[in-house]
Amino acid sequence: MFWNGQTVMQAHEEIDEHTNEEIFPLDVSKISQTPTKLPDGMEWCVIDPEDEDAVSAVHRFLAENYVEDNEGNFRFRYSYGFIRWVFGQPGAEKEWLVGIKSGGAIVGFISGFPVRVSVREKEVCMAEVDFLCLDRSMRKKGIAPLLIREMGRRVNAKGCGQAVYTVGGRITRPFTAARYYHRQISIRKLLSVGFSVLPRGSTVEEYEKMNRICVDGAGVFRRTTKADVKTIKSLLDETKDRWEVRRVFSEEEIEYVFCSDGGVVSLVSEDKDTFISFYTVSTVAIKENTEILCGYIYYYAAKRKADLLGAVRSVLSLCQEMGVDVLNCLDGMENGVFIGELGFVPGDGMLHYYLFNWKLGYTPSEKVFLSLL
């Protein structure tokens, strides 16, 4: 198995809960400058985030081949604008947007972005790895390990020795895991495509009434602007002690991610004590060829945990205005404050969090402040 030979926590390892250390020190001088060998007829390519045609090609490739549920009923479909926004993050390394071409067409892709992660007070430079995807014709042919190995080589060559990534399934030993929860908004649409199931003994009208969005108790929030960068930075700093593992944002990153017209919608309270963000991604019901617009709660910070309830009420109200069909979250971070109160229901999916070249004792998901796109 590919992962057995990698510098990751192995499933069979006995790891003390207090463990927090690098597995293998990085020596950049020993990193190969030669790209990983590919089968005949394939070649590596780099996606230039400024090249609209190249980004469009990746967008089409992901739309046709990216994550599906186990039954093959639903597939993620990121918008072109969202993909381009993700690729343009501050500090992004063009060489970490890696594709494989065959016959001039993209048949494989993986991306990485440099981030800073505080792991129990140790701040570590990591690559946030995402969008691993293969054309259907290339699956189960040993191509995915080549993409992962090449990404690792490129990341290491830049002096970065660690990576963080998430997977729906369990592949090695995760340092935490969380379950997806869903707050249904467009009940009839979700029922019609099989995303939701009508509870036994309920009518559609009763189920709609049960899931009506109530704005009572919502805080007074507005969209963020660039003037809110320092407020958000202050809120993140004030709440950092709540987390054992957390993403560390610079002011430049905060401005790009939370205070610009990009892929994330961010709100700040009138008293500037709370901020919250979410993003939207379409999920295609494949058989019905119907798009479901899904919202995902992203990062937030509240001086008082109880204020999250009003913040998420405001997000739900805005989602309804935007035509979002369902708002999703995980049962990690401080989401337990609002999940039950606001009608989120457990889904079938789990998300497992992994670290490359770092050994960490299991950490409860409510102590992990990481949200990968």
Side-chain angles (χ1 to χ4, degrees), residues 72-360:
N73 295 325
F74 301 98
R75 182 190 305 135
F76 280 161
R77 182 176 288 173
Y78 291 91
S79 69
Y80 168 80
F82 189 89
I83 293 293
R84 187 157 192 187
W85 172 80
V86 171
F87 287 2
Q89 294 179 61
E93 296 279 356
K94 186 171 73 173
E95 295 293 321
W96 295 6
L97 301 176
V98 187
I100 295 177
K101 283 188 174 182
S102 178
I106 295 175
V107 295
F109 181 74
I110 191 171
S111 67
F113 304 93
V115 296
R116 290 178 302 143
V117 179
S118 175
V119 187
R120 297 180 184 170
E121 302 305 319
K122 294 181 181 180
E123 194 166 307
V124 185
C125 169
M126 296 191 184
E128 183 178 296
V129 179
D130 208 345
F131 297 114
L132 172 60
C133 183
L134 286 174
D135 184 277
R136 284 174 179 72
S137 65
M138 295 292 153
R139 295 174 187 177
K140 298 184 179 180
K141 294 185 177 181
I143 304 300
L146 300 181
L147 275 166
I148 296 167
R149 189 174 289 120
E150 178 61 14
M151 173 58 72
R153 186 192 69 81
R154 294 178 184 223
V155 168
N156 289 165
K158 289 290 185 178
C160 182
Q162 281 70 40
V164 58
Y165 50 99
T166 56
V167 180
R170 188 170 178 130
I171 50 176
T172 54
R173 187 187 185 100
F175 71 90
T176 196
R179 178 172 295 281
Y180 277 106
Y181 275 70
H182 312 290
R183 178 51 167 93
Q184 302 164 92
I185 300 173
S186 304
I187 297 299
R188 290 178 185 267
K189 183 176 182 180
L190 296 175
L191 289 171
S192 70
V193 298
F195 186 95
S196 300
V197 177
L198 189 66
R200 182 177 297 178
S202 296
T203 65
V204 174
E205 290 74 18
E206 289 170 338
Y207 200 41
E208 283 185 314
K209 185 177 181 180
M210 186 189 309
N211 285 279
R212 183 181 301 150
I213 302 298
C214 176
V215 296
D216 292 345
V220 180
F221 284 79
R222 60 168 173 78
R223 295 285 189 106
T224 56
T225 69
K226 292 182 179 180
D228 296 309
V229 170
K230 291 189 181 299
T231 294
I232 294 172
K233 183 71 165 64
S234 177
L235 286 169
L236 291 171
D237 288 344
E238 285 185 49
T239 56
K240 67 181 182 181
D241 291 340
R242 299 176 187 175
W243 319 111
E244 292 186 27
V245 182
R246 64 183 174 88
R247 170 80 185 270
V248 179
F249 287 94
S250 67
E251 289 192 3
E252 181 186 15
E253 290 169 331
I254 289 171
E255 180 176 328
Y256 185 85
V257 175
F258 303 118
C259 301
S260 64
D261 295 326
V264 170
V265 178
S266 302
L267 305 174
V268 64
S269 61
E270 190 176 56
D271 60 11
K272 298 187 177 182
D273 281 351
T274 306
F275 108 93
I276 190 167
S277 61
F278 69 98
Y279 61 92
T280 60
V281 177
S282 290
T283 294
V284 179
I286 298 171
K287 293 177 183 177
E288 295 82 2
N289 194 28
T290 300
E291 285 200 4
I292 304 165
L293 187 57
C294 301
Y296 290 84
I297 291 178
Y298 196 36
Y299 285 101
Y300 53 68
K303 289 184 179 180
R304 298 171 295 275
K305 291 183 183 181
D307 289 346
L308 274 178
L309 200 59
V312 178
R313 286 190 193 277
S314 295
V315 168
L316 279 167
S317 178
L318 181 56
C319 282
Q320 192 168 43
E321 291 177 19
M322 293 171 58
V324 174
D325 299 307
V326 59
L327 179 63
N328 302 314
C329 72
L330 294 162
D331 62 357
M333 301 207 301
E334 293 173 340
N335 296 351
V337 170
F338 59 81
I339 281 177
E341 183 73 19
L342 297 184
F344 285 78
V345 295
D348 296 329
M350 294 287 295
L351 197 64
H352 298 82
Y353 291 70
Y354 297 91
L355 295 172
F356 190 89
N357 198 26
W358 196 270
K359 191 175 291 189
L360 179 66

